[in-house]
Amino acid sequence: MTQSTTPVKENKMGVMPVNKLLISMSLPMMISMLVQALYNIVDSIFVSRISENALTAVSLAFPVQSLMIAVAAGTGVGVNALLSRRLGEKNMDDVNRAATNGIFLYGLSYLLFVLFGIFGAGFFFSTQTDVPDILNYGKSYLTIVSTVSFGLFGQIVFERLLQSTGKTIYSMYTQVFGALINIILDPILIFGWFGLPRLEVAGAAIATVIGQACAMVMGLILNLKFNKEISLNFKGFRPDIKIIKRIYAVGFPSIIMQSIASVMTFGLNQILMGFKETAVAVFGVYFKLQSFIFMPIFGLNNGMIPIIAYNLGAKKKERMVKTIKLAILYATALMTVGLIIMQLFPETLLNIFDASPDMLAIGIPALRIISLHFLLAGFCIIVTSVFQAVGKGMISMFISITRQLLVLLPAAYLLSLLGNVNYVWFAFFIAECISLLLCIIYLRKVYKTVLTD
C-alpha cells in the first residue's frame, strides 16, 4: 500500500482560528460518537426484548468489550499524539513510521483477544454467575465479539490515522457506516427475520462484528484515497522499537487508564450481584444511556488531542491554551444537558429497555444519583486528555487509578454494607470529587511547565 507524499505545507491545525478549528475537528467525531452510542443502545433494546437475563449477560460482558476498546483506543492515543506532533515538526519520516508501527501494534492486540475468546470467555462468566441462561448467553456473545474483533481494531486504527492529520470528517463516515450496518442487522439476526434463523444474543454479537468489519474496510479505503500526508508502505517493514516506545509512552498509560474502567465495571458488577441480577442490568442500561452523553465529549477529545499535539510540536502555545479552554466550556455544556435529562426523565429512559417493575424501582434513583457527577466529569475528561496530548500520560493514568480503583470501588463496597443498593450509586460522585481535585492540582503544574513560555 503506497502513496505519493506531497510537499510539506502548514496543516490547518496550525493556522485556522482555534474555535473554528476545534469545532471542525470535533463535530464530525461527536456526530459519529453519537451514532456509536445510538447503536449501542439499539443493541441493548433488542436484547432486552429477549429477556432480562439476556440483557444481564450482555451487561456482564461489557468489561471485556470495554477492555478491547481500551487497548485499541489507548494505542490510538499514542499514535495520534506522536503522529500529530511529528507532523507539526514537519518530520514526515517519523509520521509514516508512526502509522505503520501503529497498524502493526493493532494486529498484535487483536491476536491476544482471539486467544481470550477461545480459551477465556466461559471462565470469565463462570466467575460471575451460576444462572444457566446468563452463562449460555454471555459465553456465546463474548466468544464472538472477541474472536472476530479484527474489525474493531482495524476500524479504530484507520480512524486514528485520519484524525491525526485533521481529517475527522472521514473517520465520521466510517463510524456512521459501521453503526448503520449494525443497527440494520440487529433485529434481522436476533429475531430471525427474512427466513434467517433466530440467533438471539449471538445475533447481536454477529451484527456487531460485521458492522465493525465494514467500518474497517471503509477506513482503509479513505486513508489510501485521501490521507496524502501519510504513506502506508509495508514493503520491507520491520517493527521500530524506538517508535513503538514513543507510541506507548503516551498510549500505554491511556490503555491502563481506560482498562481500569473495565476493572471497575467488573468489580461493581460483583457488588451489585450481591443485591440481585436486576441491579447489574440497571448498571448496564446506565452505561448505554450515559454513552449518549459521554461519547460526544470523547469525540471532542479526539478533535482536541491532535490540535494540542500539533501546536506543541509547532511551539504555538497560545493556540494550545485556547483550545483547552474552549473544550472545557463545550464539555461542561454537554454534561449539563445530560444531567437535566437524567434528572427529569429516568423512567422514560428505562422503559426504552422494556424495564420490569423491579428494574424501575432500582433504576430511577440510580440514574438520578449517578448523574450528579456529570458536571465534574466533563472538566476531568478534558483535562486528563490534555495530559495525554502533551506527553504526560502518566498523570492521566494516576488520576484514573485513584478515581476508579482507590476511591470508587472501595466507596461502593463500603456503601453496599448499608444494605441498600441506592447508597452504592453515590460512589460515583465521591470519586469524581477526588478526580476534580487532582485534575486541578496537576493542570496548574502542566500549565506552568508546558503551556507557558
Side-chain angles (χ1 to χ4, degrees), residues 13 18-19 22 304 307-309 311-312 315-329 382-383 386 389-390 443-444 446-453:
M13 290 187 285
V18 173
N19 190 42
L22 182 60
M304 177 193 72
I307 296 173
I308 294 175
N311 285 284
L312 178 63
K315 302 187 186 305
K316 297 182 178 180
K317 295 184 179 180
E318 286 186 7
R319 291 175 63 82
M320 296 168 62
V321 172
K322 190 170 183 180
T323 300
I324 294 166
K325 289 180 178 178
L326 287 169
I328 290 172
L329 176 64
I382 295 298
V383 170
V386 169
V390 299
L443 183 60
R444 287 169 61 89
V446 168
Y447 182 81
K448 291 177 181 178
T449 58
V450 178
L451 301 177
T452 55
D453 295 317

Side-chain angles (χ1 to χ4, degrees), residues 255-276:
I255 291 172
I256 296 298
M257 185 174 66
Q258 295 182 68
S259 299
I260 289 164
S262 299
V263 177
M264 180 275 292
T265 304
F266 179 84
L268 199 53
N269 280 340
Q270 304 314 299
I271 293 171
L272 295 173
M273 286 289 282
F275 291 94
K276 57 170 55 179

Side-chain angles (χ1 to χ4, degrees), residues 42-72:
V42 169
D43 207 50
S44 291
I45 289 172
F46 286 127
V47 168
S48 70
R49 265 54 180 182
I50 301 171
S51 69
E52 191 173 291
N53 279 344
L55 183 60
T56 301
V58 172
S59 298
L60 289 173
F62 181 76
V64 176
Q65 288 183 284
S66 179
L67 182 61
M68 286 191 289
I69 294 170
V71 172

Side-chain angles (χ1 to χ4, degrees), residues 141-180:
Y141 183 86
L142 192 53
T143 299
I144 294 169
V145 297
S146 298
T147 56
V148 198
S149 59
F150 66 87
L152 168 68
F153 286 97
Q155 173 186 352
I156 291 178
V157 68
F158 292 126
E159 286 172 0
R160 291 302 187 269
L161 295 182
L162 291 164
Q163 293 164 23
S164 296
T165 56
K167 297 172 180 63
T168 55
I169 186 68
Y170 295 119
S171 60
M172 181 189 78
Y173 294 157
T174 65
Q175 290 202 14
V176 170
F177 180 62
L180 289 177

Side-chain angles (χ1 to χ4, degrees), residues 371-404:
S371 63
L372 293 174
H373 83 286
F374 279 8
L375 291 181
L376 307 182
F379 176 87
C380 294
I381 290 170
I382 295 298
V383 170
T384 52
S385 295
V386 169
F387 298 148
Q388 295 167 21
V390 299
K392 303 290 184 181
M394 293 299 291
I395 297 176
S396 298
M397 183 176 72
F398 170 71
I399 292 173
S400 187
I401 290 174
T402 301
R403 176 187 176 272
Q404 299 188 79

Side-chain angles (χ1 to χ4, degrees), residues 214-240:
C214 291
M216 177 193 71
V217 172
M218 176 173 277
L220 173 60
I221 293 170
L222 292 174
N223 268 282
L224 294 175
K225 189 169 183 179
F226 298 109
N227 212 357
K228 303 300 183 182
E229 290 162 298
I230 297 175
S231 177
L232 298 178
N233 187 356
F234 283 90
K235 185 177 181 180
F237 169 80
R238 290 183 180 179
D240 188 319

